[in-house]
Amino acid sequence: RIMRQHIRYIISVILLLFHIHPTYSQIWINEFIASNSSINQDPDYAEFSDWVELYNSGQVAMNLKGYYLTDNLDNPVKWQITENFYIESRGFALIWTDGMSGGMHTNYKLAAEGEEIGLFSPTKVLLDSIIFSAQKTDISAGRSQNGSGVWGNYLIPTPGASNTTSEFFADYTKNAPDFSVKGGIYESTQSLELTTQLGGTIRYTLDGSEPQETSQVYIEPLELSANTVVRARIFKPGMIPGPVVTQS
């Protein structure tokens, strides 16, 4: 009899642990944008605010009431979800980091220059976090797979939808091409060289359009004998193209 009671006790403890721990491991920080100027508008305030997307990798819906989301890992309780907020199994939810402090709006804003995001349980257990560097406007950072995988960037953010519906980039190209001749007025033909010290393929246009993957590849100096707008940027495999440099 004592043995049976002992076994029932052990089973009860195991079931209790099984019930508790999934709530602390199935919600993830999945994607965020720290400089939103045109991607998606907050329906409550009609503004292009920054946001953090959460993902529920579990088999059941979760109520996130009591959970904390912070931009300071040393201050887990900076902002708390104080009302019922359900996220479906394999579902997504947006929290607006706009400083409005009401409903699903945090009391802080994300810094595009870089900072951190932390998700904590109601008992202040760290569930997930990301420390990020400077972000580009309208480019989101997200996981390569929903709830898992490495972090990278999306030229086409997917707020409230699967990350796998958009092309994933491991990083964005930070270097820009150098022009041997700066923009200005010249009385003779100019020979323009485009170079880069950090590798990559230079693509350019002469019609004022933004260089794309299909634009002309720079191979040799350009001989310019008339008014010309030259735009160039660097492309690297698996990375978002670099900034566009324009000279006239």
Side-chain angles (χ1 to χ4, degrees):
R1 181 180 178 181
I2 294 176
M3 180 62 70
R4 287 198 300 271
Q5 290 177 337
H6 184 64
I7 292 174
R8 283 199 298 268
Y9 174 77
I10 293 175
I11 292 174
S12 297
V13 171
I14 292 174
L15 290 175
L16 178 62
L17 291 174
F18 183 79
H19 174 73
I20 291 175
H21 283 293
T23 66
Y24 292 160
S25 61
Q26 69 185 52
I27 305 299
W28 307 93
I29 299 169
N30 200 51
E31 187 179 7
F32 69 89
I33 195 165
S35 181
N36 181 8
S37 71
S38 64
I39 296 301
N40 61 321
Q41 203 171 42
D42 160 32
D44 295 325
Y45 297 98
E47 294 182 356
F48 290 98
S49 300
D50 301 339
W51 46 262
V52 174
E53 178 192 78
L54 302 181
Y55 173 69
N56 179 4
S57 64
Q59 299 294 328
V60 298
M62 289 288 299
N63 185 358
L64 299 186
K65 182 178 180 179
Y67 282 63
Y68 297 93
L69 190 71
T70 181
D71 65 345
N72 182 352
L73 296 178
D74 293 327
N75 182 12
V77 299
K78 188 168 183 179
W79 180 78
Q80 185 179 37
I81 300 173
T82 58
E83 56 190 58
N84 289 326
F85 183 52
Y86 290 89
I87 177 171
E88 298 299 322
S89 169
R90 304 292 192 267
F92 308 86
L94 291 187
I95 294 178
W96 299 92
T97 53
D98 53 10
M100 294 300 186
S101 190
M104 292 301 105
H105 300 264
T106 65
N107 57 1
Y108 57 83
K109 296 181 179 181
L110 293 181
E113 296 77 16
E115 56 173 347
E116 51 199 23
I117 304 171
L119 177 66
F120 287 81
S121 75
T123 56
K124 305 179 185 64
V125 174
L126 179 63
L127 307 180
D128 196 13
S129 64
I130 174 69
I131 299 175
F132 60 91
S133 57
Q135 301 293 297
K136 296 290 186 181
T137 298
D138 289 344
I139 294 177
S140 69
R143 297 178 182 275
S144 58
Q145 299 293 323
N146 297 318
S148 63
V150 298
W151 280 87
N153 297 101
Y154 291 93
L155 265 177
I156 303 176
T158 60
S162 174
N163 288 1
T164 58
T165 61
S166 181
E167 184 177 2
F168 175 82
F169 295 90
D171 198 357
Y172 57 87
T173 304
K174 300 174 178 63
N175 55 312
D178 295 314
F179 282 56
S180 64
V181 179
K182 301 302 180 183
I185 298 176
Y186 300 90
E187 296 182 355
S188 60
T189 297
Q190 298 296 304
S191 180
L192 172 64
E193 294 185 28
L194 303 177
T195 57
T196 173
Q197 303 299 318
L198 299 177
T201 300
I202 300 175
R203 294 182 180 271
Y204 69 93
T205 63
L206 303 179
D207 61 0
S209 63
E210 185 175 281
Q212 305 294 336
E213 289 278 2
T214 55
S215 299
Q216 183 70 40
V217 175
Y218 174 81
I219 298 176
E220 58 186 16
L222 306 177
E223 302 300 321
L224 306 178
S225 59
N227 294 336
T228 308
V229 177
V230 182
R231 308 191 75 190
R233 70 195 307 191
I234 296 172
F235 291 78
K236 295 182 179 180
M239 299 179 71
I240 291 175
V244 177
V245 178
T246 305
Q247 299 286 353
S248 298

